[in-house]
Amino acid sequence: MFFQPRLLSSFKGYNRALLTKDLFAGLTVGVVALPLAMAFAIASGLKPEAGIFTAIIAGGLISLLGGSRVQIGGPAGAFIVIVYGIVDRYGVANLLIATAMSGVFLFAMGVFRLGTLVRFIPIAVIIGFTNGIAFLIGLSQMKDFFGLAIPKMPADFFSSIQALYLAADTVNFMAVAIAVASLGILILWRRYQNQLGWLKHLPGTVIAMVLATMSTAIFDLPVDTIGSRFGGIPAGLPHFEWLSISWSTAQFVIMPALTLAILGAIESLLCARVADGMIHDRHEPNQELMAQGIANFVSPFFGGMPATGTIARTVTNVQSGGSTPLSGIVHALTLLLVILFAAPLAKHVPLASLAAILMFVAWNMGEWAKFFDLKQFRLAYRLTMLTVFALTIILDLTVAVQVGLLLAFITFIYRISSLSRCEAALAADFPALQNQAGRIDAYRIYGAIFFGAVRLLEAIEKNLPSDTLLLDLKNVIYIDASGMDTILELKHLCDSAQVKLIICGLAHQPYDVAKRSGLLETLGPDCQYPDLAVGIQAATHSST
């Protein structure tokens, strides 16, 4: 079927025990998602409710319509840098339009079955931009972590460093104490969680946030809170509002929308692959992209931000016993109940604690071990990874991925072309070639004849024999248009020099390309043989 959410096929053999697990997993993930959703929204330059609304609406739609049984969607740390930059440059209204447009792009990617193509992005590029985003998330939280008096953090790297430097003398030591304490709780909770009995099921992020909030409220600590900066979060359902979209506005934000769509596709499908490994299942990538598209299209009409699959919440869902999309739907409903009945409590949440949570998330989302042991990788791999990392930090993710893919593309061409080779057939292997050097030459070609390896044939062109040239293509697995053009050019040069060209061993894709290009017609039946030995026998026989 064209559109088949995984929810429809997830209840085969379903029972009360699985239902109970899904309900408790959904409640757990909902509790975990609460501080993260608010923190991601604030770090992106939005109000905290934007993150919660996104987790409710987009998260619910992704679970309801997605192609994975256990993936949890919502606002993600990977989007922080991109969204903050869009808000800073284009404004919140245009962010909502860009998010809706990214939903259209994502849905189209799913419709045109492009989900599997995302898997072809090299791991060096993925590690580079993931670590770059993690670094920028940590940098963006320095302001609230240290309680610095910076009215608005700049979006670009160098301006951020300058702003932090100029405000270094405005450190709020109470904010630092809360942030350090929250970070310590997160680290210790992660390390000793399995030794805490029934408490191990509680997420460390919630524990850190609750303790920091209680301390701030009870002792009236002089630190920034959600209430002091944003006035709290609304205690009610999100309202539907039409977006003012025009053609000129759409053109204005098309590049940010494409960036959001590409990053969303990469993040969601990578997350789904991680989940597959944990539950020994296989997600449907195109269905997942269509669900992500619908979620990102709908969410902005309720004031939401971009959403994608989230690894931390998905892993929590699986570890808590979630086995069907129902747990994701329960997670969205849990957040909805929090909004309806516990919203006033959020005004006491200190921003320093949320900054510590985000720094902890940033550290765990980065694959830093790969950076600490670069010598295990080839030079080209290292260069690609570090270039994408640096460009993500200094410029932006779009440029970083483009340059990374270009470097990976060049590296791939070089490596594949180095695997292709051409060897002269020796008289020791083919006695018929004895005393025929310079008159009858035969070559064996291995690998692929494509635009990166045409030099193999160009070398033959410079030293044509006087009578017959044989090419054994039995071990050629692929020929592209450039490679076939080079073979046709070699045929033309042979004809001009009155040298007979014989092709041996054509099969499968090379044979199909040779037939469609007209090469077989120009060669004639007496110049085509299934095996080099047969071709050499025919060449020596006809020349005697």
Side-chain angles (χ1 to χ4, degrees):
M1 291 179 63
F2 166 71
F3 190 86
Q4 188 173 17
R6 196 61 186 274
L7 179 69
L8 300 178
S9 58
S10 295
F11 295 112
K12 185 177 181 180
Y14 202 65
N15 53 43
R16 182 177 295 180
L18 293 175
L19 173 62
T20 302
K21 288 184 177 180
D22 278 340
L23 291 176
F24 278 104
L27 289 169
T28 302
V29 178
V31 174
V32 171
L34 178 62
L36 294 177
M38 291 192 296
F40 291 153
I42 293 170
S44 301
L46 303 171
K47 293 183 178 180
E49 61 264 27
I52 300 179
F53 291 166
T54 302
I56 295 172
I57 297 169
L61 287 173
I62 289 170
S63 294
L64 186 67
L65 305 174
S68 171
R69 282 171 44 202
V70 294
Q71 175 145 275
I72 303 296
F79 277 130
I80 289 176
V81 178
I82 306 300
V83 173
Y84 189 87
I86 295 174
V87 171
D88 182 69
R89 183 174 180 182
Y90 301 97
V92 175
N94 286 322
L95 168 69
L96 299 179
I97 295 173
T99 303
M101 290 175 60
S102 74
V104 175
F105 292 142
L106 281 165
F107 189 83
M109 290 168 68
V111 169
F112 290 106
R113 323 301 290 173
L114 300 181
T116 54
L117 294 182
V118 177
R119 298 182 179 181
F120 294 118
I121 296 178
I123 191 66
V125 176
I126 293 173
I127 293 174
F129 80 68
T130 300
N131 285 12
I133 289 172
F135 179 88
L136 288 175
I137 291 173
L139 181 67
S140 70
Q141 297 311 298
M142 297 290 283
K143 169 182 175 288
D144 288 328
F145 192 95
F146 291 99
L148 302 177
I150 302 175
K152 181 176 176 59
M153 278 289 288
D156 64 284
F157 173 70
F158 293 109
S159 297
S160 297
I161 295 295
Q162 183 182 26
L164 291 171
Y165 174 75
L166 295 176
D169 59 347
T170 64
V171 173
N172 183 334
F173 290 100
M174 189 57 67
V176 174
I178 292 176
V180 171
S182 298
L183 193 58
I185 291 172
L186 291 169
I187 295 172
L188 293 174
W189 198 270
R190 170 69 65 87
R191 184 171 183 178
Y192 298 107
Q193 188 172 7
N194 293 329
Q195 304 174 23
L196 298 175
W198 66 271
L199 288 175
K200 69 180 181 180
H201 298 293
L202 296 176
T205 52
V206 174
I207 299 299
M209 186 187 70
V210 169
L211 292 177
T213 302
M214 292 175 59
S215 300
T216 302
I218 293 172
F219 299 106
D220 193 22
L221 301 179
V223 295
D224 282 344
T225 64
I226 288 179
S228 65
R229 184 175 296 181
F230 303 102
I233 58 176
L237 298 174
H239 299 289
F240 178 89
E241 291 186 14
W242 283 106
L243 300 179
S244 179
I245 304 177
S246 64
W247 177 243
S248 60
T249 304
Q251 289 179 307
F252 183 60
V253 297
I254 189 168
M255 286 308 298
L258 280 171
T259 302
L260 291 173
I262 293 171
L263 180 57
I266 294 171
E267 282 288 308
S268 62
L269 296 185
L270 284 177
C271 176
R273 287 179 65 184
V274 171
D276 286 350
M278 296 182 69
I279 64 174
H280 307 292
D281 190 34
R282 191 174 297 278
H283 72 283
E284 213 300 302
N286 297 306
Q287 179 63 39
E288 186 64 29
L289 288 182
M290 287 189 281
Q292 298 282 344
I294 293 172
N296 278 280
F297 180 79
V298 173
S299 178
F301 288 94
F302 295 90
M305 60 189 290
T308 186
T310 57
I311 292 179
R313 276 158 276 176
T314 299
V315 171
T316 301
N317 182 38
V318 175
Q319 292 177 342
S320 301
S323 59
T324 72
L326 181 61
S327 60
I329 297 172
V330 172
H331 130 269
L333 294 176
T334 301
L335 289 171
L336 179 61
L337 292 175
V338 170
I339 280 285
L340 293 177
F341 300 106
L345 301 177
K347 66 180 181 180
H348 297 295
V349 176
L351 298 181
S353 179
L354 293 181
I357 290 173
L358 279 180
M359 283 190 169
F360 186 73
V361 169
W363 176 258
N364 285 283
M365 73 179 281
E367 296 192 45
W368 308 109
K370 297 286 197 287
F371 277 11
F372 296 145
D373 193 19
L374 283 174
K375 60 184 179 182
Q376 67 173 303
F377 305 116
R378 295 179 180 271
L379 178 61
Y381 190 100
R382 280 181 264 172
L383 179 63
T384 300
M385 188 192 304
L386 294 176
T387 300
V388 174
F389 175 73
L391 290 177
T392 300
I393 293 171
I394 297 172
L395 295 178
D396 64 63
L397 178 65
T398 306
V399 174
V401 171
Q402 289 172 349
V403 173
L405 289 176
L406 178 61
L407 290 174
F409 177 67
I410 294 172
T411 302
F412 175 78
I413 293 174
Y414 173 76
R415 297 221 174 274
I416 294 299
S417 63
S418 66
L419 295 175
S420 300
R421 68 184 193 276
C422 177
E423 298 178 352
L426 303 176
D429 299 322
F430 300 95
L433 290 177
Q434 191 74 34
N435 301 320
Q436 300 291 340
R439 200 170 72 86
I440 300 176
D441 289 345
Y443 296 91
R444 284 175 159 174
I445 300 177
Y446 299 82
I449 305 176
F450 69 113
F451 63 91
V454 294
R455 72 187 191 286
L456 298 176
L457 298 180
E458 292 173 351
I460 297 175
E461 294 174 359
K462 299 176 181 178
N463 190 27
L464 293 176
S466 61
D467 187 272
T468 305
L469 173 66
L470 295 98
L471 295 182
D472 180 18
L473 305 183
K474 182 178 181 180
N475 295 298
V476 173
I477 59 174
Y478 175 76
I479 300 178
D480 72 350
S482 297
M484 186 51 63
D485 283 345
T486 306
I487 295 176
L488 290 171
E489 178 63 20
L490 178 61
K491 175 67 171 64
H492 175 72
L493 292 174
C494 287
D495 291 343
S496 300
Q498 296 184 339
V499 175
K500 185 177 183 179
L501 176 64
I502 296 177
I503 302 293
C504 305
L506 271 176
H508 307 300
Q509 190 269 352
Y511 177 84
D512 182 59
V513 174
K515 184 177 181 181
R516 288 189 284 111
S517 68
L519 175 65
L520 299 185
E521 294 181 7
T522 61
L523 285 174
D526 63 330
C527 295
Q528 304 173 45
Y529 295 95
D531 185 78
L532 180 60
V534 177
I536 291 175
Q537 288 290 345
T540 54
H541 178 74
S542 63
S543 64
T544 55

